Amino acid sequence: MKEYGFIKVAAAIPEVRVADCMYNTGRIKELVFRAAEAGASMVCFPELSVTGYTCGDLFFQDTLLKEAENATRKLLEETRNTDIIFMIGTPLKYRDKLYNTALVCKNGSLLGIVPKTWLPNSAEFYEKRWFETIPSDDPALVDYAGSTAPLGCNLLFGKDNFCFAVEICEDLWSPVPPSSYHTLAGAKIIFNLSSSNELIGKNQYRRSLICQQSARSICGYVYVSSGWGESTTDLVFSGNASIVENGIMLAESRRFLLEEQLIFSEIDVDCLTRERMVNPSFQTDDEGYEKIECSISGNEGETSLSRTVNPLPFIPSEKDYDESCREVFSIQIGGLAKRLIHTQIKNILIGVSGGLDSTLALLVCVKTFDKLGLPRKNILGITMPGFGTTGRTYNNALKLMQDLGISIREISIKDACNQHFSDIGHDPSVHDVTYENTQARERTQILMDVANQVNGLVIGTGDMSELALGWATYNGDHMSMYGVNSGIPKTLVRHLVKWVAETQVDESARFTLLDIVETPVSPELIPSKNNEQISQQTEAIVGPYELHDFYLYYMLRYGFSPGKIFFLAQHAFRGTYEKKEILKWMEVFFRRFFSQQFKRSCMPDGPKVGSVNLSPRGDWRMPSDACATVWLQEVRELMKNE
């Protein structure tokens, strides 16, 4: 998986016996081996995991300190043949002072020793009673447990373009955590060895801190805190571990288990690199840091991920679904409201086909007029049946307009199109692109001309997925005076219409909207049998929109290659699409995406809604004659291997 930028990491919560160092390192060893066997490259243990965090004044006992060193030496010897990097916590005496440190270990040696920067010393914490902070300008080589390693706060570990760093517990809670500096120096993953007790409400706050620090520093963050076995004389430790990537929780432990835990996930370092690259405020400077070179092994040849890959990246999570849908809808309404106030036009026109896109656009128009206190009758919905219009979509269009109380007009395009075929000498029995585009352009001409008649704005209905694929007739449905759906991908259009049906309208409109959601996506430009069955289904021609939206998201949002997108798609759509089918439609996506940029270069105004957008005025600036050669070559190489 490393070829795709994923590094598998683990967080381990061992059973602890306070002050029994040999027992503790024995448990650490077993978890190190388990993590290595599972393919992890690195595993992190809690703060002071060699001795236990709750030793109190026993930290001043030479017997404990010597036993901690002996136990660590034995642990290093027993893990000499293990490539996994692991981090453990121990008290360390240096220059007659005691430090709370993290030991970074690999292949039987210490790579580095990181002291805790911020020592808590209030309420239940008394760390300054035992430990000191080390001056940041005091680099040193320290002999410990049969190994010599640098001791310092500003240590980076890694090789080539990847490195990681370590901080300890309270460091995260400080106003400017050391990890902020570590990540600006180049660290992609931060490991935090912690021992944070439980209090009412503390877990949610701590979880928020971890996610926020990961997001602010654009890094992976592996946090692990003490669990079963620490002293409960005054405090309780629940065993709290988290693996986070750029603010997103990938894996969490279960709290208050009376047993050991080991959690895993894969951190996408390529994704972090891309996010830093496009963020102008992220300026890397490693001055004052010492980089300790070490290779990152593990997970070579693995093809599976333990983390979830969402097949519908544009769709809000179940937890945030209602709030997110409401916000998206509100952004669309806000964009149209501003345009109407600016133009001082109180009439709008929209072509209503009974399909998903025009339905969402119409709902936005209606709610915008309600917000502005304008009568819905000022919205003119025009249904324009053509050669491929079916009874289902035609009736749904009329019923929806009636339910919403807008003005309705029906203008058939058949006679006008037949006249045009005659004018240009086209045989109407030939159902080619001329036949189809004539209908699309005729509908747009009607809308534009009627808009002149009533002094209105034509509201566009096309969505972002259609813009990506160029699935729009140039100067036909491609054109409008304001495109309220231009920032909404097709998969999200469907969910928004369903959400409106379930939360925003009466029973009659709800029934119509839900039937529209279930109707196959079609431009309805080819005649159907008996005017009932849709003969032209878009997804059978250009491919499933859920696949195209997946490709679009990962190409634009993160700049991923076809190979990495394919790797992710295999996990996201396992059991839904075969590998060959994923690649077949991926080739269609890249070919169409590049060849259809000229349509996006002159697309109408419309509101940006999510992190991915195709507006040539802001988010996506691409020459219309750019070549897709490299992308298509990679897709075809993938096809050869399947």
Side-chain angles (χ1 to χ4, degrees):
M1 286 183 295
K2 283 166 68 177
E3 65 179 299
Y4 294 115
F6 289 101
I7 292 181
K8 189 169 187 175
V9 297
I13 305 169
E15 182 182 348
V16 172
R17 290 182 183 173
V18 179
D20 190 342
C21 301
M22 286 296 179
Y23 178 85
N24 295 339
T25 54
R27 298 315 311 148
I28 290 171
K29 180 186 73 173
E30 292 302 315
L31 289 169
V32 166
F33 287 151
R34 280 175 54 190
E37 195 174 311
S41 298
M42 292 173 276
V43 58
C44 183
F45 290 84
E47 180 180 13
L48 295 170
S49 45
V50 171
T51 58
Y53 179 78
T54 50
C55 288
D57 284 351
L58 292 177
F59 284 126
F60 286 138
Q61 295 290 310
D62 283 341
T63 300
L64 179 67
L65 298 178
K66 288 177 181 177
E67 184 67 357
E69 185 171 1
N70 290 334
T72 301
R73 180 183 290 105
K74 185 171 186 289
L75 174 63
L76 291 174
E77 290 171 353
E78 291 175 338
T79 56
R80 186 173 301 280
N81 297 320
T82 304
D83 281 340
I84 189 172
I85 295 171
F86 62 94
M87 286 136 276
I88 57 175
T90 192
L92 184 145
K93 187 165 68 173
Y94 171 66
R95 291 182 179 174
D96 300 327
K97 296 294 182 182
L98 198 60
Y99 299 95
N100 179 347
T101 66
L103 309 181
V104 182
C105 315
K106 184 184 180 186
N107 292 134
S109 298
L110 296 181
L111 297 176
I113 305 170
V114 180
K116 192 170 184 176
T117 301
W118 298 102
L119 301 175
N121 208 59
S122 61
E124 64 265 43
F125 294 104
Y126 304 95
E127 286 196 31
K128 288 186 178 180
R129 181 181 176 96
W130 311 297
F131 302 114
E132 297 285 337
T133 56
I134 197 164
S136 59
D137 59 349
D138 189 16
L141 282 176
V142 174
D143 294 323
Y144 186 77
S147 191
T148 302
L151 167 70
C153 298
N154 295 341
L155 301 181
L156 297 176
F157 304 86
K159 193 175 183 180
D160 302 325
N161 294 322
F162 171 75
C163 62
F164 67 92
V166 176
E167 65 182 4
I168 302 175
C169 199
E170 184 72 12
D171 293 348
L172 171 66
W173 300 67
S174 64
V176 183
S179 54
S180 296
Y181 298 106
H182 300 338
T183 51
L184 287 174
K188 298 285 176 63
I189 301 177
I190 299 295
F191 292 90
N192 185 309
L193 294 75
S194 186
S195 194
S196 182
N197 64 306
E198 296 302 324
L199 299 170
I200 295 174
K202 184 177 181 180
N203 181 58
Q204 189 57 38
Y205 185 78
R206 178 175 51 219
R207 192 177 190 271
S208 174
L209 273 180
I210 296 167
C211 290
Q212 284 293 323
Q213 183 61 8
S214 169
R216 184 177 295 107
S217 300
I218 315 179
C219 70
Y221 202 100
V222 182
Y223 174 95
V224 58
S225 184
S226 303
W228 174 241
E230 287 286 1
S231 171
T232 58
T233 300
D234 292 300
L235 309 174
V236 171
F237 299 86
S238 70
N240 197 310
S242 304
I243 301 174
V244 183
E245 177 187 293
N246 198 17
I248 298 172
M249 185 68 67
L250 300 179
E252 283 186 282
S253 64
R254 294 171 59 192
R255 294 191 300 149
F256 299 109
L257 287 189
L258 305 184
E259 59 190 54
E260 296 178 328
Q261 292 188 72
L262 188 60
I263 66 169
F264 299 92
S265 194
E266 299 80 18
I267 292 176
D268 190 344
V269 175
D270 279 356
C271 181
L272 298 172
T273 301
R274 153 80 180 189
E275 290 293 273
R276 292 181 177 187
M277 181 176 68
V278 299
N279 187 331
S281 65
F282 201 97
Q283 300 293 324
T284 304
D285 181 5
D286 61 0
E287 185 178 354
Y289 274 80
E290 179 178 349
K291 187 169 183 179
I292 300 162
E293 189 167 297
C294 60
S295 59
I296 309 298
S297 57
N299 68 30
E300 285 91 347
E302 286 195 18
T303 58
S304 62
L305 292 173
S306 60
R307 62 188 278 177
T308 300
V309 181
N310 184 0
L312 300 171
F314 289 111
I315 307 306
S317 65
E318 185 176 346
K319 182 182 69 171
D320 303 320
Y321 189 79
D322 183 74
E323 181 182 351
S324 296
C325 286
R326 192 179 305 278
E327 187 168 20
V328 170
F329 202 50
S330 297
I331 291 171
Q332 291 179 279
I333 292 168
L336 180 55
K338 166 62 178 176
R339 183 53 54 99
L340 290 172
I341 291 171
H342 174 73
T343 59
Q344 297 185 345
I345 292 177
K346 294 182 172 57
N347 299 301
I348 60 175
L349 294 86
I350 182 169
V352 183
S353 67
L356 276 172
D357 291 341
S358 66
T359 295
L360 178 60
L362 175 57
L363 293 169
V364 170
C365 292
V366 166
K367 292 298 182 179
T368 302
F369 270 53
D370 291 349
K371 191 178 185 74
L372 294 174
L374 297 172
R376 291 188 179 185
K377 286 295 182 181
N378 284 17
I379 302 171
L380 176 57
I382 304 180
T383 183
M384 295 166 280
F387 303 118
T389 302
T390 60
R392 181 178 185 179
T393 56
Y394 172 74
N395 291 324
N396 277 339
L398 290 177
K399 184 69 166 58
L400 181 62
M401 290 189 286
Q402 291 165 1
D403 289 339
L404 296 176
I406 69 168
S407 298
I408 304 171
R409 190 169 173 184
E410 180 177 332
I411 303 174
S412 173
I413 64 169
K414 294 178 182 178
D415 290 344
C417 288
N418 281 324
Q419 179 62 51
H420 186 65
F421 293 148
S422 175
D423 291 341
I424 67 172
H426 181 77
D427 183 354
S429 66
V430 178
H431 299 159
D432 58 5
V433 66
T434 302
Y435 181 87
E436 294 186 21
N437 286 353
T438 292
Q439 297 173 72
R441 292 195 178 102
E442 179 59 29
R443 286 180 171 130
T444 301
Q445 177 172 284
I446 289 171
L447 289 170
M448 293 292 182
D449 290 345
V450 175
N452 293 152
Q453 285 182 327
V454 301
N455 188 30
L457 288 178
V458 176
I459 303 305
T461 62
D463 63 57
M464 184 166 65
S465 303
E466 292 179 341
L467 286 166
L469 296 170
W471 192 250
T473 299
Y474 191 74
N475 204 34
D477 52 307
H478 156 259
M479 193 49 59
S480 68
M481 297 172 182
Y482 195 72
V484 293
N485 291 344
S486 63
I488 314 289
K490 184 75 78 178
T491 49
L492 183 54
V493 171
R494 188 181 299 277
H495 279 263
L496 285 172
V497 171
K498 187 177 181 182
W499 174 79
V500 172
E502 293 171 345
T503 64
Q504 305 289 308
V505 296
D506 60 26
E507 188 63 33
S508 178
R510 179 177 302 115
F511 180 84
T512 306
L513 289 174
L514 292 177
D515 190 62
I516 290 171
V517 168
E518 296 300 321
T519 303
V521 177
S522 172
E524 292 194 325
L525 298 172
I526 303 297
S528 61
K529 295 180 180 179
N530 303 320
N531 197 37
E532 289 300 328
Q533 186 177 357
I534 295 174
S535 62
Q536 187 185 28
Q537 295 193 19
T538 300
E539 291 180 289
I541 302 169
V542 295
Y545 273 115
E546 61 183 358
L547 282 178
H548 287 309
D549 283 356
F550 188 88
Y551 307 148
L552 178 67
Y553 179 81
Y554 283 104
M555 179 199 179
L556 264 65
R557 180 68 178 82
Y558 298 114
F560 287 167
S561 67
K564 182 157 184 176
I565 296 173
F566 176 54
F567 175 76
L568 294 171
Q570 290 176 71
H571 289 82
F573 296 102
R574 183 179 287 117
T576 304
Y577 297 104
E578 297 292 332
K579 294 180 182 179
K580 289 183 178 179
E581 193 173 7
I582 293 172
L583 289 170
K584 169 190 170 182
W585 296 120
M586 183 183 288
E587 184 179 28
V588 171
F589 172 81
F590 282 108
R591 176 171 50 79
R592 293 192 66 99
F593 185 86
F594 276 81
S595 67
Q596 300 296 300
Q597 172 64 24
F598 73 98
K599 294 179 182 177
R600 298 188 291 269
S601 293
C602 56
M603 60 183 278
D605 293 351
K608 179 178 179 177
V609 171
S611 58
V612 173
N613 198 42
L614 288 169
S615 169
R617 293 168 292 276
D619 288 79
W620 186 249
R621 301 178 185 183
M622 169 183 162
S624 297
D625 49 9
C627 296
T629 306
V630 178
W631 286 263
L632 292 175
Q633 282 178 345
E634 186 170 338
V635 174
R636 287 161 189 159
E637 283 299 316
L638 292 167
M639 288 177 168
K640 288 180 184 178
N641 297 328
E642 290 302 326

